[in-house]
Amino acid sequence: MLVKTVASIALGALLVAADESTYGVNAICNNDQLMRWLDKDRGLWKNNKNGVFWWESANMLTTFANLAKQDKSVLNVYGDVFDAVYKNAPSSKPKAKMTKRAGGFQNDFYDDEGWWGLAWVAALDVTGKREYLDEAISIWYDMDAAWGKHHCGGIPWNKNGHSPVSIANELYIALGAALSNRVGLDLKPTFLTAAKKGWDWFSKSGVLGSDHLIRDGLDDNCKVSGDYYTYNQGVILGGLVELWKATGELAWIDTAEDIARAVTSPGSRMQDNEGLLADGCDKDKSCQGLDDGTVFKGVFARNLQQLHAIRPNDLYKTFLQKNAKSIWQKDLKIATGGCYNGVLWGGPYVAASAASQSSALDCLIAAQAATTQGAALRAPTYRTDINRANAVKDAFAFAWKGYLEHAFPHDSLKPVDNSYVDDRNGWGASAVDALSTAIIMQNKAAVDKILNHIAMINFDSSSTDVSFFETSIRYLAGMLSGYDLLDGPFSNLINGDKSRLQPVLAQAKLLADNLKVAYNTPSGININGLEFHGKGHIIAHNDASAGIAGVTLPIEWQRLSDLTGNPEYGNLNKKAVSYFLTPYPQSNQPFPGLIGQNFDPITGHSKDASGGWGGGSDSHYEYLIKSFIYDKSAYEKYKERWELAATSSMRFLASSPSSRSDLTWLAGYNNQSLSYDSQHLACFAGGNFILGGLTLGKQEYIDFGLKLTDGCHETYTATQTGIGPENWHWRDIARGGGNPPQNQQNFYNQHGFWVTNGEYNLRPEVIESYYYAYRATGDTKYQNWAWDAFSHINATCRAGSGFAALKDVQNPGKGFNNLQESYFFAEVLKYSYLIHAEDGAWQVKADQTNQFVYNTEAHPIRISKNTVG
């Protein structure tokens, strides 16, 4: 949006329009007038009494920062506001505020200090300037020094020892929690511990009632006193959101929702008879806009916006929209080329001030944010390349022919010597894993062969140990995906004969009924190791640990519930995953949303604090966002956990090598110690961030995913074969780490990593991320990257009757590991084909119109009717 001055706006249209198309324009018009009241030389906003606002100016600065976050173009006109306030406001502080502390933004009143602390946090978020963070920290330490100095506990209202008021303590909590999310790990515990301490006192003090509304404070007898004010209900929402971001504990958001619903639900005491947000004088229309309460309502709207950003709720969005529309239709005056908003949001208009203006602006910004939140991006134009797509089809046909001739109905082909191995239960893993790819490529002969095979599999017996995880993602998902595709866009391959699908679903159900023995643990967390000795004789191992990736399988198990109408399957997996959403102990969650990768299937407790986006943890994070795509109503909290993990990864795990600052990978962690190594498996993360950004309408996730994809691309282009290695290390540009071996020093200087395991095990993750990058952007460079990768694999890994893993991507002369994994059919060939193929319902959509979501084995699963309908 281009910044507009009021002279360029059709003011007549604004008078009659207050909806999603005009909230932003209205906010710009409001802000233009707000800035006319700013005295830059004094660094404060002028009031209507020939003076200046003090703590209200802190709120005005915060409001402007929120506008700038939403519409960066306002910085082109008003970008100097932060520095003007920072440099000039302290010397212009009203004398009434200076009796004890004249320096900086500290004074006699702890609530005043808290407002300024949050203002500088907001300014930091917009500008990134360290001095703003330092100012906020200095303010917080002054507030913290007052903790417990009143006999009622908490923080007193002022330095004369007045009894505690709610707002000062809410601001202390909110500022401490906010700072804990913006300082380094060495300082985080200081602020977070204090914020938690503040909440513990606050929640027990009695000011938060059973009706989930907050009274004004305590008297000197420590009894609850005072009225209910809108800003008291608001500041704590922001504080609880920051506590959630700092800890990953969903209880903080649940508590915030209780308060938010108490304000926004119809009939709340915090509303007037028109259902608008109201303090006392709003209800009898007596507000004159001259007292401290003029900014109160905006504070609530601003903080409700923060909650809605984390846990969207139509109740909040509708409430914000209703208030914003009323402001523009009943509380607006157009005069002298400006848009003036008074204090009575429900009208009639009362003379505006900078305080009433900023309060209204808070609501306009919040309404726009809630309305546009998660809005779909526009789908780019895609280019079909039939020649490349057909070349991938030819590779599939070659590998499939070799498998049929030398391995079928066993699991995997050993192409070098034309033999086979039963490495996945002996049920024909390659056939079932290849089904969805054969369908999408419309290879009817292969589809018929696989359907006939599935009907004959004996899922009661296996000559090998059975992995719950691998069996779920390959066999169960392979059958469910085949069912969905043939029941939908590819029904032509079975001539519309749905009876051919009945054995597929029946076999999927039989397999799951056998697998579900794994859930028979005290906690409900499944065991991974199983033995199938015949019908009714399925034995689960006594595994001491369960890896989070091997447990988080909601797409497969919930889809089976949805297709069969039996909720048991999905509920079993939900129970198991529930322990990961609220992990215990919290110390095993070293960063918000990032947890240890092993849990105890007996107690449900976390057993370690190590992990990352590599093997053992990878598909847990992958499925948190994909589950939400599958069913938004059922998996909202999974999405919240994904956002926590993604944000923490961007903040704490993102790492660039010392020799190539342009590259980014994700480090692993053990507690808060980082290891600067990665693996081919982890290269799915680029695609997952991109998918998350598309799903949530958040460009920052897409951009980060593209950076990760660029980093993984480098691991391919750098090697002798043009194929990426299994593992690599680097030295972090800021934090150091190990050094490359001498014989790889030059390679590290040029490419930013050194190879620690040169195998290529026919893995798909890099091409997978190319696919998501292409579907998000339409940029044909990702098609070219995928084609290059496929071409090198086709040329280098083709061996005997199929494709074999390489022993060393830097030295192909070392030969092959004689195995063609089933996922080569399911993933490598599918993604290599899809990125060049025609568009269709089964393709990933950039504009949130997905009909399918891909499981971790690249099997497209049709999303729930709860999501599409």
Side-chain angles (χ1 to χ4, degrees):
M1 177 191 301
L2 294 176
V3 174
K4 302 176 180 67
T5 64
V6 290
S8 68
I9 298 175
L11 296 179
L14 293 179
L15 284 170
V16 296
D19 54 33
E20 62 183 276
S21 67
T22 61
Y23 292 138
V25 175
N26 297 350
I28 294 295
C29 188
N30 172 299
N31 183 68
D32 283 342
Q33 179 54 43
L34 178 63
M35 290 303 169
R36 291 188 179 98
W37 278 307
L38 174 61
D39 184 338
K40 288 186 180 180
D41 291 335
R42 300 171 74 182
L44 296 169
W45 275 263
K46 293 179 285 188
N47 62 29
N48 292 4
K49 303 176 183 178
N50 298 316
V52 289
F53 288 112
W54 177 241
W55 68 267
E56 297 93 335
S57 285
N59 274 280
M60 294 163 199
L61 191 67
T62 304
T63 302
F64 173 69
N66 285 342
L67 178 62
K69 291 176 191 176
Q70 198 155 303
D71 183 357
K72 291 182 173 58
S73 63
V74 298
L75 296 173
N76 296 334
V77 177
Y78 303 114
D80 61 343
V81 166
F82 299 113
D83 277 346
V85 174
Y86 180 73
K87 293 175 182 177
N88 299 327
S91 60
S92 303
K93 190 185 307 181
K95 290 183 179 180
K97 304 290 185 179
M98 296 174 60
T99 55
K100 290 195 176 180
R101 293 290 294 267
F105 294 86
Q106 299 170 21
N107 67 355
D108 280 355
F109 294 87
Y110 293 113
D111 54 343
D112 289 11
E113 293 188 352
W115 292 120
W116 280 111
L118 290 179
W120 294 119
V121 167
L124 168 73
D125 290 345
V126 173
T127 68
K129 289 189 174 182
R130 173 73 197 198
E131 57 262 39
Y132 299 157
L133 175 61
D134 291 341
E135 187 65 49
I137 291 173
S138 176
I139 290 169
W140 180 87
Y141 273 113
D142 194 63
M143 297 179 73
D144 185 62
W147 180 263
K149 288 193 173 180
H150 192 276
H151 63 270
C152 294
I155 287 182
W157 180 30
N158 59 30
K159 292 174 180 175
N160 292 325
H162 188 287
S163 59
V165 292
S166 295
I167 194 61
N169 285 276
E170 292 178 56
L171 289 163
Y172 174 72
I173 295 166
L175 180 56
L179 289 173
S180 77
N181 289 319
R182 290 160 177 84
V183 297
L185 292 174
D186 55 335
L187 290 177
K188 179 174 180 172
T190 298
F191 299 106
L192 180 56
T193 300
K196 287 182 174 181
K197 171 190 67 179
W199 170 256
D200 184 63
W201 175 86
F202 186 83
S203 62
K204 295 174 181 176
S205 68
V207 295
L208 177 60
S210 59
D211 58 357
H212 305 296
L213 293 175
I214 298 167
R215 296 274 295 278
D216 195 43
L218 303 179
D219 61 22
D220 276 330
N221 295 316
C222 306
K223 301 296 184 182
V224 178
S225 66
D227 207 344
Y228 299 85
Y229 296 108
T230 52
Y231 76 156
N232 283 136
Q233 323 309 318
V235 170
I236 200 61
L237 297 183
L240 292 167
V241 168
E242 292 286 358
L243 280 167
W244 170 75
K245 291 179 179 179
T247 66
E249 298 172 21
L250 291 171
W252 299 114
I253 298 297
D254 294 338
T255 300
E257 283 224 286
D258 288 339
I259 298 169
R261 282 193 294 263
V263 176
T264 58
S265 295
S268 169
R269 69 184 303 153
M270 306 310 300
Q271 300 173 24
D272 64 14
N273 56 13
E274 297 176 13
L276 298 174
L277 188 63
D279 284 303
C281 65
D282 293 286
K283 297 176 182 179
D284 61 11
K285 305 292 185 181
S286 64
C287 296
Q288 296 301 307
L290 300 176
D291 59 7
D292 284 351
T294 304
V295 301
F296 286 5
K297 298 193 294 294
V299 171
F300 177 81
R302 181 198 313 156
N303 286 279
L304 183 63
Q305 173 193 341
Q306 292 186 46
L307 176 60
H308 186 272
I310 299 303
R311 188 170 288 177
N313 188 316
D314 284 343
L315 176 66
Y316 311 152
K317 180 171 74 172
T318 301
F319 186 74
L320 289 168
Q321 290 172 335
K322 181 176 183 176
N323 280 273
K325 289 177 181 179
S326 183
I327 288 170
W328 216 251
Q329 293 168 353
K330 299 180 180 180
D331 187 29
L332 171 68
K333 179 181 179 181
I334 303 295
T336 61
C339 306
Y340 295 82
N341 295 119
V343 67
L344 292 172
W345 290 2
Y349 172 78
V350 175
S353 67
S356 67
Q357 195 82 358
S358 68
S359 184
L361 180 54
D362 273 321
C363 189
L364 294 170
I365 295 168
Q368 184 187 31
T371 302
T372 60
Q373 181 174 321
L377 303 177
R378 182 176 297 178
T381 300
Y382 301 113
R383 186 194 72 172
T384 301
D385 192 320
I386 295 299
N387 292 331
R388 288 178 174 180
N390 285 338
V392 181
K393 282 186 175 182
D394 290 344
F396 178 92
F398 171 72
W400 179 249
K401 180 175 182 292
Y403 170 70
L404 283 183
E405 290 180 354
H406 302 293
F408 181 80
H410 296 280
D411 286 335
S412 300
L413 172 68
K414 299 178 71 174
V416 176
D417 60 5
N418 299 329
S419 60
Y420 64 83
V421 61
D422 282 327
D423 56 337
R424 292 295 170 204
N425 314 342
W427 297 331
S430 289
V432 180
D433 235 1
L435 177 58
S436 61
T437 304
I439 292 170
I440 289 172
M441 292 181 174
Q442 299 203 55
N443 187 329
K444 190 174 187 304
V447 172
D448 288 339
K449 185 77 172 179
I450 297 167
L451 289 178
N452 292 335
H453 170 67
I454 287 173
M456 302 301 295
I457 297 174
N458 178 8
F459 282 127
D460 291 323
S461 296
S462 173
S463 60
T464 71
D465 283 352
V466 173
S467 163
F468 179 92
F469 171 70
E470 297 290 353
T471 303
S472 292
I473 66 171
R474 301 190 196 209
Y475 286 102
L476 183 58
M479 290 186 286
L480 295 175
S481 177
Y483 182 96
D484 281 339
L485 291 168
L486 294 171
D487 187 46
F490 294 100
S491 61
N492 62 295
L493 294 177
I494 55 172
N495 299 318
D497 182 5
K498 300 297 181 68
S499 66
R500 296 194 65 190
L501 299 180
Q502 293 174 4
V504 178
L505 186 58
Q507 286 285 71
K509 182 179 182 302
L510 171 61
L511 177 58
D513 284 338
N514 286 336
L515 287 172
K516 71 184 183 184
V517 170
Y519 287 111
N520 292 336
T521 64
S523 68
I525 294 177
N526 59 277
I527 296 296
N528 188 58
L530 300 167
E531 297 175 18
F532 283 43
H533 295 299
K535 190 173 184 63
H537 297 283
I538 313 299
I539 300 172
H541 293 174
N542 293 319
D543 295 351
S545 297
I548 59 175
V551 175
T552 309
L553 294 161
I555 295 175
E556 293 83 356
W557 285 76
Q558 187 59 49
R559 185 60 184 159
L560 183 61
S561 277
D562 291 344
L563 288 174
T564 62
N566 182 353
E568 179 188 19
Y569 306 110
N571 288 341
L572 284 169
N573 193 253
K574 286 175 184 172
K575 172 67 181 302
V577 177
S578 67
Y579 295 94
F580 310 157
L581 304 182
T582 54
Y584 179 86
Q586 270 292 309
S587 57
N588 282 352
Q589 182 177 225
F591 310 102
L594 295 171
I595 60 179
Q597 65 182 26
N598 294 297
F599 276 67
D600 188 328
I602 295 176
T603 65
H605 295 173
S606 173
K607 297 186 70 174
D608 62 19
S610 62
W613 289 74
S617 299
D618 46 4
S619 58
H620 166 71
Y621 299 110
E622 175 186 4
Y623 272 9
L624 290 176
I625 193 64
K626 288 185 173 180
S627 302
F628 178 70
I629 296 171
Y630 177 76
D631 189 338
K632 289 181 170 59
S633 61
Y635 294 103
E636 172 75 24
K637 291 187 177 181
Y638 287 48
K639 180 265 292 182
E640 293 173 7
R641 289 293 299 184
W642 183 87
E643 283 211 77
L644 272 176
T647 301
S648 287
S649 298
M650 292 165 66
R651 182 182 178 198
F652 298 112
L653 305 187
S655 173
S656 295
S658 59
S659 62
R660 286 286 302 275
S661 61
D662 58 313
L663 300 178
T664 300
W665 296 299
L666 291 171
Y669 57 86
N670 185 2
N671 291 299
Q672 292 183 344
S673 296
L674 301 185
S675 56
Y676 302 110
D677 59 88
S678 193
Q679 54 189 217
H680 201 293
L681 282 167
C683 279
F684 87 96
N688 195 242
F689 272 83
I690 292 167
L691 179 62
L694 293 174
T695 302
L696 303 176
K698 295 190 174 183
Q699 188 65 41
E700 61 267 31
Y701 294 139
I702 298 173
D703 292 343
F704 187 73
L706 294 174
K707 287 176 63 176
L708 293 178
T709 302
D710 289 348
C712 289
H713 176 248
E714 181 68 25
T715 68
Y716 267 56
T717 60
T719 69
Q720 292 297 312
T721 59
I723 302 171
E726 182 75 359
N727 298 93
W728 64 92
H729 283 232
W730 67 95
R731 181 176 176 83
D732 183 76
I733 193 169
R735 291 162 287 194
N739 292 307
Q742 187 173 359
N743 65 348
Q744 292 197 63
Q745 182 66 59
N746 290 336
F747 183 86
Y748 174 70
N749 292 342
Q750 183 176 356
H751 299 293
F753 69 97
W754 64 91
V755 177
T756 53
N757 181 346
E759 292 181 340
Y760 172 63
N761 294 309
L762 299 180
R763 296 205 184 278
E765 292 80 15
V766 174
I767 300 175
E768 174 184 352
S769 285
Y770 295 165
Y771 171 69
Y772 281 99
Y774 174 65
R775 296 300 297 181
T777 66
D779 190 334
T780 56
K781 80 174 182 182
Y782 298 112
Q783 286 182 304
N784 295 334
W785 290 2
W787 177 249
D788 289 344
F790 168 76
S791 298
H792 289 303
I793 292 167
N794 196 28
T796 311
C797 299
R798 189 179 283 238
S801 55
F803 292 84
L806 296 178
K807 289 185 177 180
D808 191 345
V809 296
Q810 293 286 53
N811 185 359
K814 287 185 177 180
F816 303 101
N817 292 318
N818 187 19
L819 180 66
Q820 179 177 277
E821 282 271 11
S822 72
Y823 57 67
F824 182 73
F825 287 112
E827 301 187 74
V828 174
L829 294 175
K830 184 183 285 105
Y831 286 126
S832 295
Y833 173 76
L834 284 172
I835 199 169
H836 301 297
E838 73 280 359
D839 202 7
W842 52 93
Q843 294 268 26
V844 169
K845 307 296 183 182
D847 59 358
Q848 300 181 2
T849 58
N850 290 299
Q851 297 182 44
F852 288 81
V853 61
Y854 285 69
N855 91 320
T856 194
E857 193 81 357
H859 292 305
I861 303 294
R862 187 155 50 190
I863 65 176
S864 168
K865 292 179 180 179
N866 294 332
T867 295
V868 298

